[in-house]
Structures are given as C-alpha cells and as structure tokens.
Amino acid sequence: MDSLRRLLAENPRVLEMRYREREVVCEPASPPFAVRLDGVGFGSRLRDFPHPRSRLVHNALVEVARALAQTYGADFVHVVSDEINLFFHRLPPYGGRTFKIISVLAGHASAEATALLGRPLYFDGRVVKLRDLCDAATYFLFRARVGLNNYAVQIARGMGLLRERTPPIGEVVAKIKIDDYELAWGAFLEKERGYRKEVDVCNALSSLCNVC
C-alpha cells in the first residue's frame, strides 16, 4: 500500500526535532501554521471504549475537527488518535493572536467532544509555524506516522509480540494485522473538497504537495 510505504519512509525522531522548535510562543502567528490540539487524559477518561482506538471516538473527533474547520476557516485538517491538527494557509483566525487561537480552539474542541461523547473531555493546544505547503504536507506525514507507530505498537503489545525492546516499526507492522487504517494513521479533510473525509495519505496530501 502506497500510504503505508510512504509513512514508513519517514523518521519521526528527525521530524519531532524539526517541528518542536517551531512551536510559536510569540504574538502574532503569521500563516502558514498548524494548530495542534491534543486530548488531555483521554486514555483514562475513555478507558471503557475499545482499545487501542475506538471507531466511535474517532468519528466523533472527525466531527469536532470538521466543526472547528468550518468555524475558523482551516484549509486542511488531520485527525488521529486524540489529536486534531488544523492548517491555516490564507487567513488566520483572530488575526493570528497566538494565545487566543490556542485557548479558543482548545476550548471549542473540548466542548464539542464533551457533547458528542457524553463525558468531560479536554484539549490543550499549540501553534506550529510552517514554511509552505510542502512543509505542511511533511508535517501531516509526521503526525500520521506518529499515529501509526503508536497504534501498531499497542496492537503488538496486546498480542504479546513485544517484550523489552521495540523493533523498527516496519518489523512491528509486518507482524500484525491492521484492520482499520483510518484508525492507524487518521483521516484528512480539506476545505476545497468541502471537508469530506479522505483516508489515503498520498491522495489527501497531493493537494498540498507531491510528497508521495
């Protein structure tokens, strides 16, 4: 599968260092940038849902992400695990005021997720500066690869295949069966496509940059 091969080609440790140093702490943030929203304590708050990831929770977070994207005009969105990333390329919400963007979008996501899943849920937020559309595509590859890594390792551990050392992710993926790739690496939504859900990584990112 092209999407799986493309994700496995990335080194998440290198990308983690690249994008962590670009988390915005100053005002204002000028586009392009991504707003990353992470669920706080979702593992314990949603422990009664299927492990390692729940289709019901994922679908709810896709709806949360779609509502945020439509409200604030995000150009591109990615949802994986308990994480929502919204990409702003043209017009930033609130004039790029970083702390307002983080607080309002995290609060909005928390309220939407709480309403949909029927229990108190919270998100934290950060703004990540991006250089251009190709950099944005690489950033989304990075987040999808992290999602895949975590999902595959949790499945392998649940099957008793991993002990003390975690082998390269390609070896882990080869030993397990992934029935739902959308849960593994997430879903993508794009403004120009009416925020319709796309699961194939290469197809989704082709509108940003030819990274596959």
Side-chain angles (χ1 to χ4, degrees), residues 15-124:
L15 295 176
E16 175 71 28
M17 291 186 290
R18 177 190 300 177
Y19 291 109
R20 182 173 292 276
E21 67 183 14
R22 292 201 231 152
E23 291 181 9
V24 176
V25 295
C26 59
E27 300 263 12
S30 59
F33 61 76
V35 178
R36 178 176 155 193
L37 304 172
D38 285 301
V40 178
F42 272 34
S44 59
R45 294 180 184 277
L46 299 173
R47 59 181 175 272
D48 53 322
F49 284 86
H51 183 81
R53 288 180 192 158
S54 161
R55 165 56 68 174
L56 178 62
V57 172
H58 175 74
N59 289 346
L61 293 187
V62 168
E63 291 308 310
V64 171
R66 183 176 286 116
L68 293 174
Q70 291 172 338
T71 301
Y72 304 104
D75 296 286
F76 199 88
V77 186
H78 176 235
V79 181
V80 66
S81 185
D82 63 350
E83 180 179 319
I84 298 171
N85 276 280
L86 302 105
F87 173 57
F88 295 90
H89 180 239
R90 299 178 180 90
L91 296 174
Y94 301 111
R97 285 179 286 167
T98 305
F99 295 112
K100 183 150 190 174
I101 292 170
I102 291 171
S103 61
V104 171
L105 270 66
H108 190 163
S110 301
E112 294 275 357
T114 294
L116 286 173
L117 292 170
R119 63 194 66 193
L121 295 170
Y122 313 104
F123 290 84
D124 65 23

Side-chain angles (χ1 to χ4, degrees), residues 140-181:
F140 284 112
L141 278 175
F142 163 47
R143 299 317 305 165
R145 172 62 190 274
V146 170
L148 172 64
N149 278 20
N150 294 339
Y151 188 69
V153 168
Q154 288 182 73
I155 290 177
R157 284 179 177 159
M159 297 172 62
L161 298 176
L162 300 183
R163 296 291 185 253
E164 296 180 0
R165 185 186 74 88
T166 301
I169 193 63
E171 296 180 21
V172 176
V173 170
K175 293 179 180 179
I176 65 174
K177 180 182 179 183
I178 298 177
D179 295 317
D180 192 335
Y181 282 101

Side-chain angles (χ1 to χ4, degrees), residues 162-211:
L162 300 183
R163 296 291 185 253
E164 296 180 0
R165 185 186 74 88
T166 301
I169 193 63
E171 296 180 21
V172 176
V173 170
K175 293 179 180 179
I176 65 174
K177 180 182 179 183
I178 298 177
D179 295 317
D180 192 335
Y181 282 101
E182 184 178 345
L183 292 185
W185 60 56
F188 304 85
L189 302 90
E190 186 185 357
K191 185 176 185 179
E192 296 300 323
R193 298 175 182 173
Y195 298 121
R196 294 189 302 274
K197 187 172 66 175
E198 171 64 69
V199 176
D200 185 274
V201 176
C202 291
N203 284 344
L205 297 180
S206 63
S207 62
L208 297 176
C209 184
N210 184 20
V211 293

